[in-house]
């Protein structure tokens, strides 16, 4: 015999207690209850159980992703990697990430621009910024666009030098921070 939903009771923190055939069954997130269309009198047949399971996986993926976003802005690739490592199915990952993008909570261009500005402000060159953004799994086109928004690399390197003598050691330091060979050659040839 297929069980029937006999009660839905609202609980704290967006949860709903579900009763089947008069017996307590589970406490579920309210969003899952709504999306799975659970209501008093509905039978929990195989199709409804599958829909409920899918919605629980989706809610789990969204929950994990939003908790990761609470600490800092992350790229889609970073969240995808985290959800995959947590064992979230590909379909649930895709649906959760698409929902977050549609809500404006997930935006690779915003992440790339903010990270590029921050690194440039801290004295990094284009190669270091590009490498950092690649590790965040941001696509090449978005990385290029973010770097193009920055002031020229030569100006940033000159500001780092700020009247210091252009010694080979100082130029090596700039190279280690991702400034290009062309930029370093321009600085070596220019007057302080």
């Amino acid at each position: 015999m297929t069980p029937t939903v006999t009660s839905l009771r609202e609980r704290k923190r967006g949860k709903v207690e579900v009763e089947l055939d008069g017996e307590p069954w589970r406490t579920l997130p309210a969003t899952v209850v709504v999306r799975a269309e659970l209501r008093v009198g509905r039978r929990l047949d195989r199709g409804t159980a599958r829909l409920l399971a899918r919605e629980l996986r989706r809610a789990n993926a969204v929950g994990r992703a939003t908790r990761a976003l609470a600490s800092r802005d992350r790229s889609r690739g970073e969240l995808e990697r985290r959800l995959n490592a947590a064992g979230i199915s590909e379909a649930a990952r895709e649906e959760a990430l698409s929902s977050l993008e549609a809500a404006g909570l997930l935006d690779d261009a915003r992440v790339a621009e903010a990270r590029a500005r921050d690194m440039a402000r801290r004295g990094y060159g284009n190669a270091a910024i590009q490498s950092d953004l690649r590790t965040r799994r941001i696509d090449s086109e978005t990385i290029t666009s973010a770097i193009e928004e920055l002031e020229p690399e030569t100006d940033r390197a000159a500001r780092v030098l700020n009247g210091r003598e252009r010694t080979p050691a100082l130029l090596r330091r700039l190279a280690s921070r991702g400034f290009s060979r062309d930029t370093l050659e321009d600085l070596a040839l220019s007057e302080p």
Side-chain angles (χ1 to χ4, degrees):
M1 184 170 148
T2 306
T4 303
V5 176
T6 53
S7 174
L8 297 171
R9 288 190 189 98
E10 188 175 354
R11 296 294 178 224
K12 292 180 181 178
R13 298 187 178 129
K15 301 286 186 179
V16 174
E17 185 179 288
V18 179
E19 271 186 19
L20 294 181
D21 295 332
E23 296 292 323
W25 181 57
R26 288 194 177 166
T27 301
L28 302 170
T31 56
V32 170
V33 171
V34 170
R35 289 179 60 102
E37 301 176 0
L38 289 185
R39 62 188 173 283
V40 174
R42 180 156 187 189
R43 294 204 175 275
L44 193 62
D45 58 13
R46 181 172 280 156
T48 303
R50 283 186 187 137
L51 178 59
L52 185 59
R54 185 175 69 234
E55 291 305 326
L56 280 168
R57 287 190 300 270
R58 181 190 163 283
N60 181 31
V62 169
R64 284 180 179 271
T66 54
R67 283 190 298 279
L69 288 171
S71 60
R72 72 171 174 84
D73 217 2
R74 297 178 193 275
S75 71
R76 181 184 177 98
E78 287 177 293
L79 286 178
E80 192 167 346
R81 183 183 320 154
R82 280 175 162 253
L83 295 176
N84 186 38
I88 305 295
S89 72
E90 184 177 347
R93 282 193 317 260
E94 180 58 37
E95 190 173 342
L97 296 175
S98 294
S99 296
L100 293 172
E101 282 177 332
L105 299 174
L106 185 59
D107 183 351
D108 280 3
R110 181 181 65 225
V111 171
E113 290 167 8
R115 184 66 180 159
R117 276 193 312 271
D118 180 56
M119 289 186 73
R121 182 184 50 76
R122 293 186 353 221
Y124 284 94
N126 291 351
I129 295 168
Q130 185 177 37
S131 176
D132 180 82
L133 294 177
R134 261 195 242 113
T135 63
R136 294 171 191 277
R137 301 181 69 179
I138 295 174
D139 67 85
S140 297
E141 188 176 304
T142 305
I143 292 172
T144 301
S145 178
I147 290 174
E148 286 174 353
E149 294 292 319
L150 300 173
E151 70 178 312
E153 185 181 58
T154 308
D155 295 348
R156 286 183 278 138
R159 191 173 36 262
V160 171
L161 292 175
N162 196 20
R164 296 180 190 170
E165 184 179 343
R166 284 144 170 81
T167 64
L170 188 54
L171 294 175
R172 281 193 302 275
R173 181 171 177 264
L174 288 176
S176 73
R177 293 184 69 85
F179 287 94
S180 71
R181 174 171 284 203
D182 291 342
T183 297
L184 297 176
E185 287 174 359
D186 288 348
L187 289 172
L189 298 175
S190 68
E191 294 190 27

